Amino acid sequence: MAIRRKLIAGIASLLSVLLSGGVQAASDLNMRPGVTETSIGAFDLHMMVVWVMVAISVVVFGAMIYSFIFHRKSKNPTPATFSHSTSVEFVWTIIPIIILVYLTWPAVKLLVKMEDASESEMSIQVTGSQWKWHYKYLENDINFFSNLDRTLAVDDPNYLLEVDNMLVIPVDTKVRFLVTADDVIHSWWVPDLAVKKDAIPGFINETWTNIPAEHAGKIFRGQCTELCGKDHGFMPVVVKVLSKDDYKAWVATKNDERIAAEKAAAEAAAASWDMDKLMALGKTTYDAKCGMCHMPNGLGMPPTFPALKDSRIAKGPAEGHIDIVVNGKTGTSMAAYGAQLTDAEMAAVITYERNAWGNNTGDTVQPADIQAFKAGN
Amino acid sequence: MSDHHPTGFTRWLYTTNHKDIGSMYLWFSFVMFLIGGAMAMVIRAELYQPGLQFVEPNFFNQMTTMHGLIMVFGAVMPSMVGLANWLIPMQVGAPDMALPRMNNWSFWILPFAFTLLLSSLFMDGGAPNFGWTFYAPLSTTYGPPSTDFFILGVHMMGISSIMGAINVIVTVFNMRAPGMTLMKMPLFVWTWLITAFLLIMVMPVLAGTVTMMLTDRHFGTAFFDAAGGGDPVMFQHIFWFFGHPEVYIMILPAFGVVSEIIPAFSRKKLFGYSSMVYATASIALLSFIVWAHHMFAVGMPLAGELFFMIATMLIAVPTGVKVFNWVATMWQGSLTFETPMLFSIAFVILFTIGGFSGVMLAMAPVDFQYHDTYFVVAHFHYVLFPGAIFGTTAAVYYWLPKWTGKMYNETSGKIHFWLSMIFVNLTFFPMHFSGLAGMPRRIPDYNMMFADFNMWASIGAFGLGLTQIYFLITLVIAIRSGKKAEDKQWEGATGLEWDALPSPAPYHTFSTPPKVD
Amino acid sequence: MTEPTQNSDNKKLVYRLVGIIGGMFLFAFALVPLYNVFCDITGINGKTRGQALYQDVEIDKKRQVTIEFLTNVNRGMPWDFGSKVKSMVVYPGELNEVRFFAKNRSKNDIVGQTVPSVSPGEAALYLNKTECFCFDQQVLAAGEEVEMPMKFYIDADIPEDVTRLTLSYQLFNVTDSVKTESAATK
């Protein structure tokens, strides 16, 4: 019996050394602790469960391995005959219950904290659509789309995790996110903040984060985590955290940029563009924004993403064409670009679509036409 | 011997014999397993390294969707029905299944259902691409035209499973040999009886869900469309009301299989028979009240999250009882390690690992970090591959001598086992790490930081794929030219099929009921 | 056991099982109203309730609650839509009015449907609307502009820890589905 006990203890300690070495030595094999109180809480809870599970494995698998070695037919030709024991069965029903209670308690405490979005200091509306995020700062007049940066090469450390416009938030501030969607269900996840919330069309969900001051200047990256169609893997979430002063400066810059953009748009609308200029800007815009679905050759991927070459809309009246680009189409993946592109870009892209790939309508659509359409004239 | 039966194609088409139908189910599920596996190979090839190499994202989504649907409904479920057909009449001492003509029907629907489903790959717009969970509105408003074929296919396979379940229940209740009381039934029969009840409870709910999808798509209803007053989250509630019991439908019969095999090779009675029965029943009952743990991220009120978290964690208790009972069965037994035993032991160990990650996922505050990442993929593959599929494989090796009268080659079986064991872990264990590192599931391309894990998983998957071919060859050789099996091939085997029937079991079993003491 | 009794036993059991199956199929559909009742009780998904009456409502002057208004226009909807104020601070029990505006910028008549949602979800139980444009569909002719009132009060029973709630309206274009429906009834 003494030998057996030593052997069990030996196997147990060996296993725990192997496992702990494995878990701790290579931190990239484990969950990220993240930077917020809740993400660290989730990490601690995760580690706690891992250790409990390791302990249970050592006991259960240890007993099995012991059996394999000492109760094999060559060692133990006559099997025992017991086939039940009420007391033993009672014990191993009770012990798991005790372990579960032990695990549940911290989980409940953490969950209560995570679900408490009250007393927040600022709110951002996060809207998912196929396949980009839109951020709207409710206290400021700031809103923008955040698209995947498709220029990065595969070996770039931020491949698929970089966007054109990052979400910017201040440190040491309880930021509330109101999450919703425009088409299908998406899910907004930043692992380092332990924030994951489904974005559901028609409904809003709230979640929050509060990043300690020492993380000012850092960038946190995540991805959409609910299958949302073709480019589900291509809509990252990137959050940049600034100190409170830097954040104020950023808000100011953003406002200046908006005013400048409005001015530029007005100037562009006032000017009359010739065909070549429209076609050139149209092609760049098309390849960047439209080619993913309608394909660079205009053939699309019917029936979900229709061909634009010889399409009824691209060869029909310009107004219908402008309508679908500006407003999108209900119940399809065609998003509303009215707020995503400038009037000039829209005019250019529509002109391009009406003349490329042998569509040759000869029409030009001017930024002024877009402006007029948006105004309802 | 008056063991005449028709031959040729019509034998199989018109057969009402439980053994013929069982064989057809098993071969059908094996074919589906290879097709679904081939799709997994496409997925793993694309994920072998970062960057898009082989397929475009939309086709990738079709592959993940079809892989899931075919493995769940085409491979795992029919293989379990195949085992039920072969074994239940023999184990309860019945001449055949209670409703043999319905049995024929329930099988022959399947090839049509899956031809329909697979044909959608060649349709305009491609196959369903919204994941096997087909969440609305991605599958309703935004689904490809082939979604309607998917709906019809799901209806057909649902009807097939329901008929199979009715047959099992009626056979178990009405066809037992005199003296075979319920609490004397082999555990495989018990787990299947409980599975059959789960099937008739939840398959109609699945049918209802896809019917609502159909009317949403074509008849102007708005069950799941927010604009019309519906709610896409309700889809998830209804789907998982089906979906969670479905998980146990796939695993409970495998529990039954290992509960037969472990005692046989331990040469010792199953420890805690009655607690095994009660544990299975409580797992089944609990499965009806835990569904929303699949959707902690949809934004439920705190009370709801707490309820579903605690209810889910409770499932660990009866599951733990089962694992402890298996270990206690081996304890002080007289163990030998033939292929079926090896697969059963691997089942217990690896299923337990899947159970551990299950408890982790049940804990809502941490689940926000695991949810919809590769950690979940690792978890459910651990309970499904080394769980359901190892269970079926163990059953095939264990009962093959009884079914065919031929023995497989033990060395080949052991090679098959060790290849499976190595490659299953090489495929699915790294997925835990890529999930923890933050890789979402169902993405066709990923950042460099996930590259190593994915490469290992892909290498494992290719090995696992080839291992299945090896399994097929081993089986074919055994069936064609295996050594003649003995009536009681395994020293420690118990049950009517071993004690009261020759090997191979005659075409018509138990024309006169056997006596059970 | 003789053959005929065996058969009739089987039949009886099959009928019972088919009954269960039929019942469960209907249960799937019954889940739809059940789910709504469930939402009403627990506030799942922040669904607001139907029209409420303002009668004998007690006003709690001891505390205030902030209510924010969020508006979203879904794709394919050429409307401007928003609230006149971004948020209000109200006493629980007090009847308030907030005005929303909508303008159809297109050259077609369009039917819109707003879908309300409240966060935190539990707060939806305490938000009572006595008058709301979201109870009906809006039909706006080309270029038409309207102002729409929404009257509400927050139940004085609202838990102390809820100091802020957000009411969001997402506006959907339902012109096509209204057309198919009316075509179907004709």
Side-chain angles (χ1 to χ4, degrees):
Chain A
M1 279 312 272
I3 303 170
R4 283 185 187 185
R5 225 174 284 139
K6 266 187 196 162
L7 207 106
I8 292 178
I11 291 171
S13 60
L14 187 74
L15 264 175
S16 68
V17 167
L18 277 177
L19 284 165
S20 66
V23 174
Q24 276 163 1
S27 59
D28 58 337
L29 294 181
N30 203 352
M31 184 190 270
R32 295 180 235 180
V35 296
T36 62
E37 199 188 343
T38 48
S39 76
I40 292 167
F43 176 78
D44 290 343
L45 193 55
H46 161 76
M47 286 319 292
M48 181 178 155
V49 195
V50 168
W51 286 121
V52 169
M53 297 305 154
V54 167
I56 298 173
S57 334
V58 168
V59 175
V60 175
F61 299 157
M64 284 178 79
I65 291 165
Y66 184 87
S67 265
F68 300 159
I69 298 168
F70 293 101
H71 303 149
R72 53 173 56 227
K73 200 182 177 192
S74 51
K75 288 264 172 66
N76 190 30
T78 28
T81 51
F82 64 86
S83 70
H84 64 92
S85 154
T86 314
S87 51
V88 171
E89 287 171 59
F90 180 75
V91 168
W92 68 41
T93 311
I94 292 302
I95 290 178
I97 293 178
I98 294 168
I99 295 174
L100 289 177
V101 171
Y102 171 68
L103 289 175
T104 306
W105 181 240
V108 170
K109 275 203 299 195
L110 181 60
L111 189 62
V112 169
K113 187 189 288 170
M114 282 178 151
E115 292 294 320
D116 179 15
S118 62
E119 310 290 327
S120 61
E121 295 153 80
M122 61 179 277
S123 306
I124 297 172
Q125 187 189 334
V126 177
T127 310
S129 64
Q130 288 180 326
W131 291 280
K132 55 182 82 80
W133 296 99
H134 178 257
Y135 301 113
K136 183 169 163 192
Y137 291 67
L138 297 186
E139 282 83 5
N140 302 299
D141 203 3
I142 298 175
N143 74 88
F144 52 84
F145 285 88
S146 182
N147 289 285
L148 172 71
D149 180 351
R150 289 185 183 265
T151 59
L152 298 188
V154 174
D155 53 2
D156 190 286
N158 293 327
Y159 175 62
L160 298 181
L161 297 175
E162 188 64 280
V163 291
D164 52 0
N165 298 302
M166 295 179 193
L167 176 70
V168 176
I169 55 173
V171 290
D172 222 5
T173 307
K174 187 161 182 180
V175 184
R176 187 174 59 134
F177 302 105
L178 292 160
V179 187
T180 185
D182 197 37
D183 36 42
V184 300
I185 299 177
H186 304 265
S187 191
W188 197 75
W189 184 35
V190 188
D192 285 305
L193 311 181
V195 167
K196 183 183 281 158
K197 225 18 150 192
D198 284 359
I200 301 160
F203 297 88
I204 49 165
N205 262 327
E206 63 180 24
T207 180
W208 63 275
T209 194
N210 191 349
I211 299 163
E214 73 254 35
H215 299 290
K218 287 190 186 164
I219 293 174
F220 302 110
R221 295 165 199 278
Q223 282 175 275
C224 174
T225 47
E226 183 64 68
L227 179 62
C228 55
K230 182 171 82 71
D231 283 353
H232 160 57
F234 305 90
M235 50 182 292
V237 175
V238 184
V239 181
K240 186 172 187 179
V241 191
L242 294 181
S243 69
K244 285 189 170 177
D245 290 342
D246 288 349
Y247 176 72
K248 265 186 213 137
W250 177 82
V251 170
T253 334
K254 263 303 189 203
N255 278 323
D256 294 345
E257 272 175 23
R258 195 188 58 214
I259 293 160
E262 277 165 12
K263 214 173 119 198
E267 276 165 18
S272 174
W273 293 42
D274 65 30
M275 182 65 126
D276 289 346
K277 202 173 155 197
L278 284 168
M279 287 297 277
L281 178 62
K283 184 168 169 37
T284 6
T285 314
Y286 180 87
D287 289 346
K289 305 281 178 183
C290 319
M292 284 302 148
C293 300
H294 294 294
M295 306 310 283
N297 58 11
L299 292 178
M301 288 183 258
T304 315
F305 308 108
L308 300 184
K309 180 173 157 55
D310 296 326
S311 93
R312 261 189 310 131
I313 288 170
K315 295 184 90 166
E319 193 172 295
H321 197 166
I322 298 175
D323 181 26
I324 199 166
V325 173
V326 171
N327 293 316
K329 188 163 157 48
T330 309
T332 70
S333 297
M334 181 62 200
Y337 284 90
Q340 302 188 43
L341 301 175
T342 64
D343 292 352
E345 282 170 329
M346 272 184 284
V349 98
I350 292 166
T351 307
Y352 178 73
E353 286 168 0
R354 298 180 74 75
N355 293 289
W357 325 296
N359 278 354
N360 298 337
T361 56
D363 298 349
T364 56
V365 174
Q366 294 294 335
D369 298 335
I370 306 289
Q371 206 182 29
F373 179 85
K374 277 164 123 183
N377 302 322
Chain B
M1 288 287 275
S2 61
D3 207 22
H4 295 298
H5 51 74
T7 48
F9 178 69
T10 48
R11 164 185 171 183
W12 300 104
L13 188 60
Y14 298 139
T15 186
T16 54
N17 180 286
H18 74 101
K19 299 190 180 73
D20 285 351
I21 293 172
S23 303
M24 288 196 295
Y25 262 113
L26 287 170
W27 281 113
F28 174 81
S29 68
F30 199 80
V31 171
M32 284 298 135
F33 181 54
L34 294 180
I35 294 175
M39 292 171 177
M41 296 303 111
V42 174
I43 294 168
R44 285 318 318 174
E46 180 54 57
L47 292 175
Y48 180 71
Q49 56 186 38
L52 286 172
Q53 287 90 16
F54 301 104
V55 295
E56 48 96 17
N58 197 34
F59 188 72
F60 183 89
N61 289 346
Q62 294 174 31
M63 286 291 107
T64 53
T65 307
M66 296 294 273
H67 167 74
L69 289 170
I70 284 174
M71 287 305 194
V72 169
F73 295 106
V76 175
M77 287 171 69
S79 73
M80 297 301 178
V81 184
L83 294 179
N85 260 297
W86 256 105
L87 296 173
I88 289 176
M90 296 201 294
Q91 291 190 328
V92 300
D96 202 307
M97 294 296 273
L99 310 158
R101 278 186 295 269
M102 192 165 88
N103 207 6
N104 172 291
W105 250 100
S106 86
F107 172 76
W108 278 108
I109 288 177
L110 280 182
F112 293 96
F114 282 90
T115 310
L116 200 65
L117 191 63
L118 285 168
S119 68
S120 66
L121 277 167
F122 306 101
M123 287 174 193
D124 221 14
N129 53 7
F130 31 67
W132 87 275
T133 51
F134 53 102
Y135 280 5
L138 188 62
S139 63
T140 51
T141 320
Y142 296 81
S146 61
T147 308
D148 300 327
F149 291 84
F150 155 83
I151 291 171
L152 191 57
V154 169
H155 268 307
M156 285 166 73
M157 58 188 115
I159 289 169
S160 159
S161 320
I162 286 171
M163 292 201 291
I166 291 178
N167 224 332
V168 168
I169 295 173
V170 178
T171 308
V172 173
F173 280 156
N174 291 355
M175 306 280 284
R176 275 172 289 132
M180 175 65 81
T181 58
L182 284 176
M183 289 309 272
K184 271 188 191 163
M185 295 194 307
L187 215 67
F188 176 76
V189 181
W190 255 116
T191 52
W192 237 110
L193 180 65
I194 291 165
T195 304
F197 273 104
L198 285 180
L199 277 167
I200 64 165
M201 298 289 281
V202 302
M203 291 313 278
V205 175
L206 176 68
T209 318
V210 293
T211 308
M212 285 184 238
M213 269 177 74
L214 188 73
T215 60
D216 264 15
R217 281 170 63 82
H218 298 296
F219 304 107
T221 58
F223 288 108
F224 308 128
D225 182 9
D231 186 342
V233 175
M234 184 177 72
F235 174 90
Q236 297 183 25
H237 281 288
I238 300 179
F239 176 81
W240 286 114
F241 185 84
F242 146 79
H244 201 76
E246 166 73 15
V247 174
Y248 296 118
I249 287 168
M250 291 191 277
I251 197 68
L252 291 184
F255 283 172
V257 167
V258 297
S259 303
E260 301 284 307
I261 294 175
I262 289 179
F265 295 94
S266 304
R267 291 163 184 80
K268 193 159 155 275
K269 261 178 86 178
L270 180 70
F271 187 89
Y273 172 90
S274 48
S275 71
M276 282 298 221
V277 173
Y278 299 133
T280 313
S282 24
I283 292 174
L285 286 176
L286 281 172
S287 77
F288 283 103
I289 57 161
V290 299
W291 75 88
H293 68 219
H294 294 268
M295 31 192 298
F296 281 136
V298 298
M300 263 181 286
L302 182 63
E305 287 178 336
L306 288 176
F307 173 78
F308 287 111
M309 173 172 92
I310 291 166
T312 306
M313 290 171 79
L314 271 181
I315 293 186
V317 176
T319 314
V321 167
K322 297 190 82 91
V323 172
F324 299 142
N325 281 349
W326 289 321
V327 176
T329 306
M330 288 186 266
W331 192 257
Q332 294 187 351
S334 187
L335 302 173
T336 50
F337 301 96
E338 287 87 346
T339 311
M341 181 63 163
L342 288 174
F343 273 104
S344 301
I345 289 169
F347 171 97
V348 175
I349 295 175
L350 300 183
F351 179 82
T352 304
I353 293 176
F356 287 154
S357 52
V359 174
M360 296 168 82
L361 285 158
M363 302 178 66
V366 212
D367 179 64
F368 293 132
Q369 294 288 62
Y370 305 134
H371 176 71
D372 264 339
T373 68
Y374 260 84
F375 192 82
V376 178
V377 179
H379 160 71
F380 69 72
H381 280 98
Y382 258 84
V383 291
L384 282 175
F385 205 117
I389 292 170
F390 274 20
T392 312
T393 314
V396 168
Y397 280 113
Y398 182 67
W399 279 291
L400 192 76
K402 183 54 65 183
W403 295 340
T404 62
K406 305 278 181 62
M407 246 321 258
Y408 61 89
N409 180 309
E410 192 60 54
T411 318
S412 299
K414 283 194 171 129
I415 293 173
H416 173 216
F417 167 75
W418 284 109
L419 290 175
S420 303
M421 186 71 179
I422 292 165
F423 287 127
V424 153
N425 287 295
L426 187 59
T427 310
F428 299 117
F429 211 79
M431 291 182 184
H432 289 111
F433 301 129
S434 48
L436 291 175
M439 179 168 164
R441 59 192 284 209
R442 295 164 166 165
I443 57 173
D445 193 4
Y446 52 84
N447 183 276
M448 278 302 271
M449 69 173 148
F450 311 124
D452 290 349
F453 305 130
N454 276 287
M455 192 185 72
W456 285 116
S458 288
I459 292 171
F462 301 141
L464 198 54
L466 290 175
T467 305
Q468 305 318 317
I469 309 292
Y470 182 78
F471 179 36
L472 178 65
I473 294 167
T474 306
L475 279 182
V476 171
I477 292 175
I479 293 166
R480 300 184 126 221
S481 54
K483 270 203 327 252
K484 194 179 160 2
E486 290 161 39
D487 290 351
K488 184 165 175 160
Q489 180 65 38
W490 314 109
E491 187 191 4
T494 52
L496 286 175
E497 77 272 30
W498 299 107
D499 296 327
L501 289 174
S503 292
Y507 193 63
H508 298 288
T509 329
F510 299 126
S511 323
T512 46
K515 226 172 90 65
V516 183
D517 342 282
Chain C
M1 202 185 294
T2 55
E3 277 296 314
T5 50
Q6 171 81 64
N7 273 338
S8 74
D9 280 357
N10 286 358
K11 255 187 203 157
K12 241 188 265 170
L13 187 52
V14 171
Y15 288 144
R16 265 186 225 155
L17 294 173
V18 170
I20 298 179
I21 291 158
M24 287 308 290
F25 184 71
L26 295 177
F27 176 71
F29 288 88
L31 280 172
V32 176
L34 279 175
Y35 175 76
N36 287 330
V37 171
F38 192 56
C39 288
D40 233 26
I41 299 168
T42 62
I44 275 190
N45 237 358
K47 281 191 175 182
T48 58
R49 296 167 161 188
Q51 192 157 10
L53 283 177
Y54 190 70
Q55 264 173 353
D56 306 323
V57 178
E58 158 205 3
I59 299 180
D60 181 357
K61 287 275 184 188
K62 285 194 291 293
R63 59 187 173 129
Q64 289 185 311
V65 176
T66 309
I67 176 163
E68 289 174 328
F69 306 103
L70 267 188
T71 53
N72 292 298
V73 182
N74 202 255
R75 67 178 46 156
M77 191 57 172
W79 285 18
D80 294 327
F81 171 55
S83 58
K84 292 276 182 184
V85 291
K86 274 187 181 174
S87 67
M88 289 170 98
V89 180
V90 299
Y91 291 112
E94 172 189 49
L95 187 68
N96 290 283
E97 185 184 294
V98 55
R99 300 188 80 80
F100 286 73
F101 62 89
K103 186 189 175 187
N104 180 355
R105 284 186 281 100
S106 77
K107 292 186 176 155
N108 305 304
D109 299 355
I110 284 177
V111 188
Q113 170 74 56
T114 47
V115 176
S117 172
V118 173
S119 187
E122 298 92 311
L125 304 177
Y126 304 96
L127 179 69
N128 298 293
K129 291 184 275 194
T130 58
E131 196 183 326
C132 182
F133 50 90
C134 57
F135 297 147
D136 306 296
Q137 292 173 340
Q138 268 65 47
V139 189
L140 292 195
E144 192 182 342
E145 200 171 348
V146 287
E147 241 183 66
M148 306 175 292
M150 195 276 278
K151 285 185 184 161
F152 70 96
Y153 69 95
I154 291 168
D155 207 301
D157 293 337
I158 191 162
E160 295 278 336
D161 57 327
V162 181
T163 53
R164 162 151 70 179
L165 55 108
T166 308
L167 171 61
S168 127
Y169 284 107
Q170 194 156 357
L171 176 68
F172 290 89
N173 186 345
V174 293
T175 315
D176 288 345
S177 56
V178 171
K179 263 188 211 149
T180 41
E181 259 168 55
S182 59
T185 48
K186 269 169 205 168

